[in-house]
Structures are given as structure tokens and as C-alpha cells.
Amino acid sequence: MANKELHIVSTGAQSINTFVSIISEIHPFATAIHLREKQMSARDLYQTINQLIQRSVPLNKIVINDRIDVASIAEVGGVQLAYHSLSVGDVKRAFPKLRIGKSVHSLEEAVEAELQGADYVIYGHIYPTSSKKGVIAKGVDSVEELKKQLSIPLIVIGGIKPSHIPELIDRGVDGVAVLSGVLLAQTPIEAVKEYSKMLSKEMIT
């Protein structure tokens, strides 16, 4: 997929056994696998990581949301920070080996994340999505303006379908993050291949 990234984010709507089973099949087509399970304890997260490892999912592809302690102890590839998390700068100083992403919702938040040392940002939501009912989507035009201000990778999230990828890449994005579009698809492996194909296709044309 060249340098265009595909992040798969857990939905919180599936059993861990189902999630692990799907990820074990689709991980070769993904850049990163995010464990975003707010209801899970540190122990549960750690056990889930071990299950993924046992199914041959590379450690360096696994990203833990917010729980820096689990990410560090499990020696996964990265951590995704939210607005309520510790600051990017503090985490970067303490855990320099982790790839640190920051979830942002504005130009100001994105620029601040980069200044603090974030390795990439995830920005959204871009398109209307059922998980953000009543919240106005950011839209594709905001992506172009944001990209002009950043030198780190810009990953976008929210209601993204494979057919959206050409217009997103036209506006400079470095990758997409997907939840239900892959994990809740009727055939996840075919869905992830379609996202991957569109990202790769745009790199070639």
C-alpha cells in the first residue's frame, strides 16, 4: 500500500473472540489494528493482545487506545491518544519507542499534536456516520486545509467507504481509519481488500 495507511479500529460491538478471529484473517491488508475497547480492563486488553499474537498478528501493527501502561508492557507498536489522555509530549518523553497517534477534531488540535511530537493524527468524522448521530460531519474540504498545515501523516475517519478514497487522497490524506466498514461487513476479508485496493490504486495512478 506504499505510504497510504489503512487503520482498522475495533467497534466495541463484537466479542473479543469474533474480533480476534476477523483480525487474524485481515491483518496482512492493514497498517494498524486499533484496540479501542473503553469497557475493557487492562488485564482484558493484555489478554486480547496475547490472543492476537497467537494468531500471528504482528506486535508492531497493534495500537492501544489511551492505555499507555498496557501498550508499553505489551510492547505493541503504538498508542492512540484522545482529548482526555495524557499529553502527547509527556507520553513521547516517557515512551519514545511507541508510535503515538492523536485523535483530533480541529486544525488547532492537529497543529498542537504535531508540535508536541505526535507521529500522526486521526481526524474526523469526515462523512455522516451512525456512530455520531446529531454531530455535523467535518466534510472533505476541511481535510485539504488541515493537510496544508501538517507535515506528519493525516489519517481520516468517519463513515469512509472505498468509493470515498479517491476524493480523500486528492485532498492529501495519508490514510484512512475504518471500523464497521470492515469489521461489521458481511465478508470482512473482501471489504478490507477493497479498501486496500483503492488506496494502492490511487498511489499508482
Side-chain angles (χ1 to χ4, degrees):
M1 297 192 310
N3 66 339
K4 297 299 179 186
E5 301 188 13
L6 176 57
H7 293 232
I8 304 298
V9 183
S10 67
T11 65
Q14 296 172 302
S15 71
I16 290 305
N17 286 340
T18 298
F19 173 74
V20 170
S21 178
I22 293 173
I23 295 301
S24 68
E25 185 177 18
I26 71 172
H27 74 82
F29 300 94
T31 309
I33 306 297
H34 291 243
L35 267 174
R36 188 172 73 175
E37 299 290 323
K38 299 177 183 179
Q39 79 286 1
M40 288 177 62
S41 67
R43 177 180 294 180
D44 290 339
L45 285 169
Y46 189 76
Q47 290 175 344
T48 301
I49 294 167
N50 285 331
Q51 289 183 51
L52 290 169
I53 294 169
Q54 290 168 9
R55 299 293 291 271
S56 300
V57 178
L59 261 178
N60 64 1
K61 284 191 176 185
I62 300 174
V63 177
I64 306 299
N65 276 54
D66 191 43
R67 293 303 301 261
I68 304 151
D69 53 345
V70 179
S72 177
I73 291 171
E75 299 183 323
V76 299
V79 63
Q80 184 70 27
L81 302 178
Y83 70 93
H84 59 264
S85 302
L86 294 174
S87 74
V88 171
D90 288 338
V91 176
K92 197 70 173 178
R93 283 189 293 273
F95 304 97
K97 292 183 180 179
L98 286 175
R99 188 184 190 214
I100 299 174
K102 180 67 184 288
S103 298
V104 300
H105 302 89
S106 70
L107 172 61
E108 292 76 18
E109 289 180 6
V111 170
E112 177 63 21
E114 178 171 4
L115 288 173
Q116 289 193 13
D119 295 295
Y120 65 94
V121 295
I122 293 184
Y123 171 72
H125 63 291
I126 304 304
Y127 302 99
T129 171
S130 59
S131 65
K132 299 285 185 179
K133 289 181 179 178
V135 182
I136 298 174
K138 301 295 184 182
V140 294
D141 290 338
S142 68
V143 173
E144 189 169 8
E145 182 60 31
L146 185 57
K147 181 60 182 174
K148 291 177 183 177
Q149 304 297 324
L150 294 177
S151 58
I152 58 175
L154 171 61
I155 312 299
V156 293
I157 192 170
I160 298 170
K161 300 176 181 179
S163 59
H164 292 138
I165 290 175
E167 70 174 350
L168 290 170
I169 292 181
D170 282 346
R171 286 164 172 79
V173 306
D174 300 289
V176 301
V178 182
L179 290 80
S180 58
V182 169
L183 293 176
L184 300 183
Q186 186 171 3
T187 52
I189 186 63
E190 295 304 319
V192 78
K193 285 180 179 179
E194 184 64 17
Y195 280 97
S196 178
K197 181 182 76 173
M198 292 302 295
L199 288 164
S200 300
K201 177 181 179 181
E202 292 305 312
M203 287 303 298
I204 295 171
T205 57

